Amino acid sequence: MDAFFETPGFADTLRAAGRDRLLSRVTMQIQSGGIPRALEAYAAASTPNIVLLELGSRDLELERSKLESFAEACDVDTKVIVAGSTNDVDFYRWLRENGVSDYLLLPTGDAAVVDVLYRAMNIGRSAGRVIAFLGAKGGVGSSVLCHHVAAETARKSGKPSLLVDLDVGFGTAALNFDLTPLKGVAELLFSSVAGEAEAVEKFVLRADSNLSLIGTGASLLRGIAITPEHIERTIRRFRESYSYTFLDLPHEWSDWIRNALIDVDDIVVVAAPDIAGLRNTKAMFEALRQMRPNDEDPRLILNMAGVRGRQELRARDFQAAAGKEPDLVMPFAPETFSEAATEGKLIFDVAARSAEARKLQNFAGVVVPNLRVDTTESGNLMSRLFSKSKA
Ligand SMILES: Nc1ncnc2c1ncn2[C@@H]1O[C@H](COP(=O)(O)OP(=O)(O)O)[C@@H](O)[C@H]1O
Ligand SMILES: [Mg+2]
């Protein structure tokens, strides 16, 4: 897209909007000179997908005639957004009748600019939330914690939720829910004929009443490479169908993983309290902050803390190195975790009253805001009365 501003204030707003994560793949050229400069620019070149024009004055007659000449230079499939400080219904109507897709009333903040651009690009902000879990190292519990947080979110929110195992060929999501994956994520992502035409629902297993699961059941004999374009498209489809989607990512730093990390709403990094965990967490936080400058920091879990006899780093060491205090410190609890894994159950089921279960439940409320107010506390009076009378 190209943007032609008239005032330096709006140029700053445009630059701030351009740093938004979902616009990070949009090539945004910001130039001064307003409509006259745009006319020069497109005298010989064709117009891009989106052109944003700031009006140079409040003289509506003059601005109308400039826009009319611009319309002649503009390709039919280019979306035109106009920004100006005039608040006039007739002018607005005239713009719409003449094919302008949106009018930004100035002054405005970068959030409003981002919204208008999302609209022009058909990116829905209101669609479902996507949360990715990623280990700072392999084997640190990223998957198992992801599965628990997904299950807790589905249960407490009561909203359709999806857990996607992206550790193609090696994933444990289906195992952890005692399910056998039939058609896995690999098929969904790569048999583009079937995958594109059919609803995501066709590929899922039911793990719990509100939790669907896409497990990996791919044969290791067939090589599978997820591409950045595939993951982007698939995440968009998940978002359309589910309120919450949890991506269980393998421990890699490839192109498609980086693309996924740009697309998701929230990231949870899981690290073990050792030197490699610390170093990788620091590197990942630095990279993620650069990739997502307008977003909050990722969440950080320190997992498997307190192994007897092991020298361990602490939360404050992570705070010092990565600039992020862990949101959750999870103790090493081999009995609980291995019992759950062996039975294909969650620790909420095998050890409902354990500290680990409680910590994970609280953490789900941190990752997915508003989750906590949904049920337990507000509770339903009748059910509380019943539970009392039963006791
Ligand atoms: N806090 C913990 N205490 C004990 N065992 C754990 C803990 N967290 C995870 N595990 C176990 O560690 C193993 C590896 O976990 P997994 O989630 O597959 O790691 P990753 O996805 O990071 O490779 C699993 O057997 C899991 O049950
Ligand atoms: Mg894993």
Coordinates of all heavy atoms in Angstrom, one line a residue, residues 212-252:
S212 N -11.6 -29.5 20.6 CA -11.3 -30.4 19.5 C -9.8 -30.5 19.4 O -9.1 -29.6 19.9 CB -11.9 -29.7 18.2 OG -13.3 -29.5 18.3
L213 N -9.4 -31.5 18.7 CA -8.0 -31.7 18.6 C -7.6 -32.2 17.2 O -8.3 -33.0 16.6 CB -7.6 -32.8 19.6 CG -6.1 -33.2 19.8 CD1 -5.9 -33.6 21.2 CD2 -5.8 -34.4 18.9
I214 N -6.5 -31.6 16.7 CA -5.9 -32.1 15.5 C -4.6 -32.7 15.8 O -3.7 -32.0 16.3 CB -5.7 -31.0 14.4 CG1 -7.1 -30.4 14.0 CG2 -5.0 -31.5 13.2 CD1 -7.1 -29.3 13.0
G215 N -4.5 -34.0 15.8 CA -3.3 -34.7 16.2 C -2.5 -35.1 15.0 O -2.9 -35.0 13.9
T216 N -1.3 -35.5 15.3 CA -0.4 -35.9 14.2 C -0.5 -37.5 14.1 O -0.3 -38.2 15.0 CB 1.0 -35.5 14.3 OG1 1.5 -36.1 15.5 CG2 1.2 -34.0 14.4
G217 N -0.7 -37.9 12.9 CA -0.7 -39.3 12.7 C 0.0 -39.7 11.4 O -0.2 -40.7 10.8
A218 N 0.9 -38.7 11.1 CA 1.6 -38.9 9.8 C 2.6 -40.0 9.9 O 3.2 -40.3 10.9 CB 2.3 -37.6 9.5
S219 N 2.8 -40.6 8.7 CA 3.9 -41.6 8.6 C 5.2 -40.9 8.5 O 5.4 -39.9 7.9 CB 3.6 -42.5 7.4 OG 4.8 -43.0 7.0
L220 N 6.2 -41.5 9.2 CA 7.5 -40.9 9.1 C 8.2 -41.3 7.8 O 9.2 -40.7 7.5 CB 8.4 -41.5 10.3 CG 7.9 -41.0 11.7 CD1 8.8 -41.6 12.7 CD2 7.9 -39.5 11.8
L221 N 7.6 -42.1 7.1 CA 8.2 -42.5 5.8 C 8.0 -41.4 4.7 O 8.8 -41.3 3.8 CB 7.6 -43.8 5.3 CG 7.8 -45.0 6.2 CD1 7.1 -46.2 5.7 CD2 9.3 -45.3 6.4
R222 N 7.0 -40.6 4.9 CA 6.7 -39.6 4.0 C 7.2 -38.3 4.5 O 6.8 -37.8 5.6 CB 5.2 -39.5 3.7 CG 4.9 -38.7 2.5 CD 3.5 -39.2 1.9 NE 2.5 -39.2 2.9 CZ 1.6 -38.2 3.1 NH1 1.7 -37.1 2.3 NH2 0.7 -38.2 4.0
G223 N 8.1 -37.6 3.8 CA 8.7 -36.4 4.3 C 7.6 -35.3 4.2 O 6.9 -35.2 3.2
I224 N 7.5 -34.5 5.3 CA 6.6 -33.4 5.2 C 7.2 -32.1 5.6 O 7.9 -32.0 6.6 CB 5.4 -33.7 6.2 CG1 4.5 -34.7 5.6 CG2 4.6 -32.4 6.5 CD1 3.5 -35.4 6.5
A225 N 7.0 -31.1 4.8 CA 7.6 -29.8 5.1 C 6.5 -28.8 5.1 O 5.8 -28.6 4.2 CB 8.6 -29.4 4.0
I226 N 6.3 -28.2 6.3 CA 5.3 -27.1 6.4 C 5.9 -25.8 5.8 O 7.0 -25.5 6.1 CB 4.9 -26.9 7.9 CG1 4.3 -28.3 8.4 CG2 3.9 -25.8 8.0 CD1 3.8 -28.2 9.9
T227 N 5.1 -25.1 5.0 CA 5.6 -23.9 4.5 C 5.0 -22.7 5.2 O 3.9 -22.8 5.7 CB 5.3 -23.8 3.0 OG1 3.9 -23.5 2.8 CG2 5.7 -25.0 2.2
P228 N 5.7 -21.6 5.1 CA 5.2 -20.3 5.8 C 3.8 -20.0 5.3 O 2.9 -19.5 6.0 CB 6.2 -19.3 5.4 CG 7.5 -20.0 5.2 CD 7.0 -21.3 4.6
E229 N 3.5 -20.1 4.0 CA 2.2 -19.8 3.4 C 1.1 -20.7 3.9 O 0.0 -20.2 4.2 CB 2.2 -19.8 1.9 CG 3.2 -18.9 1.2 CD 4.6 -19.3 1.4 OE1 4.9 -20.5 1.4 OE2 5.5 -18.4 1.5
H230 N 1.4 -22.0 4.0 CA 0.5 -22.9 4.5 C 0.0 -22.6 5.9 O -1.1 -22.6 6.2 CB 1.0 -24.3 4.5 CG 0.8 -25.0 3.2 ND1 1.9 -25.6 2.5 CD2 -0.3 -25.3 2.5 CE1 1.4 -26.1 1.4 NE2 0.1 -26.0 1.4
I231 N 1.0 -22.3 6.7 CA 0.7 -22.1 8.2 C -0.2 -20.8 8.3 O -1.1 -20.8 9.1 CB 2.0 -22.1 9.0 CG1 1.6 -22.2 10.5 CG2 2.8 -20.9 8.9 CD1 1.1 -23.5 10.9
E232 N 0.2 -19.8 7.5 CA -0.6 -18.6 7.6 C -2.0 -18.8 7.2 O -2.9 -18.3 7.9 CB 0.1 -17.6 6.6 CG -0.2 -16.2 6.8 CD 0.5 -15.4 5.7 OE1 1.7 -15.7 5.4 OE2 -0.2 -14.5 5.2
R233 N -2.2 -19.5 6.2 CA -3.6 -19.7 5.7 C -4.3 -20.6 6.7 O -5.5 -20.4 7.0 CB -3.5 -20.4 4.3 CG -4.3 -19.7 3.3 CD -4.3 -20.4 1.9 NE -2.9 -20.8 1.5 CZ -2.6 -21.9 0.9 NH1 -3.6 -22.8 0.6 NH2 -1.4 -22.2 0.6
T234 N -3.7 -21.6 7.2 CA -4.3 -22.5 8.1 C -4.7 -21.8 9.4 O -5.8 -22.0 10.0 CB -3.5 -23.8 8.4 OG1 -2.6 -24.0 7.3 CG2 -4.3 -25.0 8.7
I235 N -3.8 -21.0 9.9 CA -4.1 -20.3 11.2 C -5.4 -19.4 10.9 O -6.2 -19.3 11.8 CB -2.9 -19.4 11.6 CG1 -1.8 -20.3 12.2 CG2 -3.3 -18.4 12.7 CD1 -0.6 -19.6 12.6
R236 N -5.5 -18.8 9.8 CA -6.6 -17.9 9.5 C -7.9 -18.8 9.5 O -8.9 -18.4 10.1 CB -6.5 -17.3 8.1 CG -7.3 -16.1 7.9 CD -7.1 -15.4 6.6 NE -5.7 -15.2 6.2 CZ -5.2 -15.6 5.0 NH1 -6.0 -16.1 4.0 NH2 -4.0 -15.4 4.7
R237 N -7.8 -20.0 9.0 CA -9.0 -20.9 9.1 C -9.4 -21.3 10.5 O -10.5 -21.4 10.9 CB -8.8 -22.1 8.2 CG -8.6 -21.7 6.7 CD -8.3 -22.8 5.8 NE -9.4 -23.8 5.8 CZ -9.2 -25.1 5.6 NH1 -8.1 -25.6 5.4 NH2 -10.3 -25.9 5.6
F238 N -8.4 -21.6 11.3 CA -8.6 -21.9 12.7 C -9.4 -20.8 13.4 O -10.3 -21.0 14.1 CB -7.3 -22.2 13.5 CG -6.6 -23.4 13.0 CD1 -5.2 -23.5 13.2 CD2 -7.2 -24.5 12.4 CE1 -4.4 -24.6 12.7 CE2 -6.5 -25.6 11.9 CZ -5.1 -25.6 12.1
R239 N -8.8 -19.6 13.2 CA -9.4 -18.4 13.8 C -10.9 -18.2 13.4 O -11.6 -17.7 14.3 CB -8.6 -17.2 13.3 CG -8.3 -16.1 14.2 CD -7.7 -15.0 13.5 NE -6.2 -15.0 13.5 CZ -5.5 -14.7 14.5 NH1 -6.1 -14.3 15.7 NH2 -4.2 -14.7 14.5
E240 N -11.2 -18.5 12.2 CA -12.6 -18.4 11.8 C -13.5 -19.3 12.5 O -14.7 -19.1 12.7 CB -12.7 -18.6 10.3 CG -12.2 -17.4 9.5 CD -11.9 -17.8 8.0 OE1 -12.3 -18.9 7.6 OE2 -11.3 -16.9 7.3
S241 N -13.0 -20.5 12.9 CA -13.9 -21.6 13.4 C -13.9 -21.7 14.9 O -14.8 -22.3 15.4 CB -13.5 -22.9 12.8 OG -13.5 -22.9 11.4
Y242 N -12.9 -21.3 15.6 CA -12.7 -21.5 17.0 C -12.5 -20.3 17.8 O -11.7 -19.4 17.3 CB -11.6 -22.6 17.3 CG -11.9 -23.9 16.7 CD1 -11.6 -24.3 15.4 CD2 -12.7 -24.8 17.5 CE1 -11.9 -25.5 14.9 CE2 -13.0 -26.1 17.0 CZ -12.7 -26.4 15.7 OH -13.0 -27.6 15.1
S243 N -13.1 -20.2 19.0 CA -12.8 -19.0 19.8 C -11.4 -19.0 20.3 O -10.7 -18.0 20.4 CB -13.7 -19.1 21.1 OG -15.1 -19.0 20.7
Y244 N -10.9 -20.2 20.7 CA -9.5 -20.3 21.1 C -8.8 -21.4 20.4 O -9.3 -22.6 20.3 CB -9.4 -20.6 22.6 CG -10.1 -19.5 23.5 CD1 -11.3 -19.8 24.1 CD2 -9.5 -18.3 23.6 CE1 -11.9 -18.8 24.8 CE2 -10.1 -17.3 24.3 CZ -11.3 -17.6 24.9 OH -12.0 -16.6 25.6
T245 N -7.6 -21.1 19.8 CA -6.8 -22.2 19.2 C -5.5 -22.2 19.8 O -4.8 -21.2 20.0 CB -6.6 -21.9 17.6 OG1 -7.9 -21.8 17.0 CG2 -5.8 -22.9 17.0
F246 N -5.0 -23.4 20.2 CA -3.7 -23.6 20.9 C -2.8 -24.3 19.9 O -3.2 -25.4 19.4 CB -3.9 -24.3 22.2 CG -4.5 -23.5 23.2 CD1 -5.9 -23.5 23.3 CD2 -3.8 -22.8 24.2 CE1 -6.5 -22.7 24.3 CE2 -4.4 -22.0 25.1 CZ -5.8 -22.0 25.2
L247 N -1.7 -23.7 19.6 CA -0.7 -24.4 18.7 C 0.4 -24.9 19.5 O 1.1 -24.2 20.2 CB -0.2 -23.4 17.7 CG -1.1 -22.6 16.8 CD1 -0.3 -21.7 15.8 CD2 -2.0 -23.5 16.0
D248 N 0.5 -26.2 19.4 CA 1.6 -26.9 20.1 C 2.8 -27.0 19.1 O 2.8 -27.9 18.2 CB 1.1 -28.3 20.6 CG 2.2 -29.1 21.2 OD1 3.4 -28.7 21.3 OD2 1.9 -30.3 21.5
L249 N 3.7 -26.1 19.2 CA 4.8 -26.0 18.2 C 6.0 -26.9 18.6 O 6.3 -27.0 19.8 CB 5.3 -24.6 18.0 CG 4.3 -23.5 17.5 CD1 4.8 -22.1 17.5 CD2 3.8 -23.9 16.1
P250 N 6.6 -27.5 17.6 CA 7.9 -28.2 18.0 C 9.0 -27.2 18.3 O 8.9 -26.0 17.9 CB 8.2 -29.0 16.7 CG 7.5 -28.2 15.6 CD 6.3 -27.5 16.2
H251 N 10.0 -27.7 18.9 CA 11.2 -26.8 19.2 C 12.0 -26.6 18.0 O 12.9 -27.5 17.7 CB 12.0 -27.4 20.4 CG 13.3 -26.6 20.6 ND1 13.3 -25.3 21.1 CD2 14.5 -27.0 20.4 CE1 14.5 -24.9 21.1 NE2 15.3 -25.9 20.7
E252 N 11.8 -25.6 17.2 CA 12.5 -25.3 16.0 C 12.5 -23.8 15.8 O 11.6 -23.1 16.4 CB 11.8 -25.8 14.8 CG 11.9 -27.3 14.5 CD 11.0 -27.7 13.3 OE1 10.8 -26.9 12.4 OE2 10.4 -28.8 13.4

